[in-house]
Amino acid sequence: MHNQNNNCVFCKIIAGEIPSKKIYEDEDILIFYDINPVAPVHVLAIPKIHIESLNSINIDNIEYIPKIFEKIPEIAKNLGIFEDGYRVITNIGENGQQSVGHLHFHIIGGRKLKWEF
Ligand code: AMP
């Protein structure tokens, strides 16, 4: 069983307690549509264990990072944004404007992105 945090919205999505529009799932990671998209394509890739942010990555949990990154180009192809390009973002902490305290990578595309949305 994966390490979960009862107060975490993404842990609840992983547990199926909150609905989500899933794109890809395996035993370690989940990729699903962002509820509040900032571009025509906006999905989130998360590890299935509760890691607060990139600040909490260490030797014991770093295995989730290549698992997520290995899937991103495949997902980008499926979503039709691979050729034109897209952006992968992870926000960290208050100044990074992280609003959900469970490590996630935004995959955003489908239009020409400005530096600020
Ligand atoms: P951040 O601000 O980087 O922490 O990003 C959190 C993202 O999670 C935002 O883009 C939200 O729109 C998204 N989000 C929050 N709750 C949900 C949810 N229940 N399902 C899908 N996306 C969500």
Side-chain angles (χ1 to χ4, degrees):
M1 193 58 200
H2 289 289
N3 161 36
Q4 304 224 318
N5 176 325
N6 290 336
N7 298 318
C8 171
V9 60
F10 289 175
C11 284
K12 287 181 178 159
I13 285 176
I14 292 163
E17 293 163 15
I18 292 178
S20 66
K21 230 175 121 190
K22 293 177 186 175
I23 295 173
Y24 174 81
E25 181 171 23
D26 62 29
E27 60 176 4
D28 296 313
I29 73 169
L30 174 64
I31 304 180
F32 58 102
Y33 283 95
D34 196 293
I35 206 169
N36 188 21
V38 298
V41 175
H42 188 172
V43 305
L44 302 171
I46 64 174
K48 281 194 171 177
I49 63 163
H50 186 78
I51 300 170
E52 193 84 13
S53 77
L54 201 69
N55 275 353
S56 302
I57 288 295
N58 57 47
I59 196 71
D60 294 322
N61 61 24
I62 198 165
E63 68 197 89
Y64 288 89
I65 303 294
K67 284 175 179 168
I68 289 170
F69 273 69
E70 193 254 327
K71 274 287 155 205
I72 288 177
E74 184 185 319
I75 295 298
K77 273 181 196 152
N78 292 344
L79 294 171
I81 59 173
F82 182 92
E83 292 295 338
D84 288 343
Y86 56 100
R87 193 173 287 163
V88 177
I89 299 172
T90 189
N91 294 323
I92 301 158
E94 196 178 335
N95 278 3
Q97 300 227 36
Q98 181 180 6
S99 62
V100 176
H102 182 128
L103 176 66
H104 51 281
F105 294 90
H106 299 259
I107 301 158
I108 300 168
R111 67 167 165 81
K112 192 134 197 164
L113 300 172
K114 299 188 175 75
W115 183 243
E116 292 192 10
F117 303 107

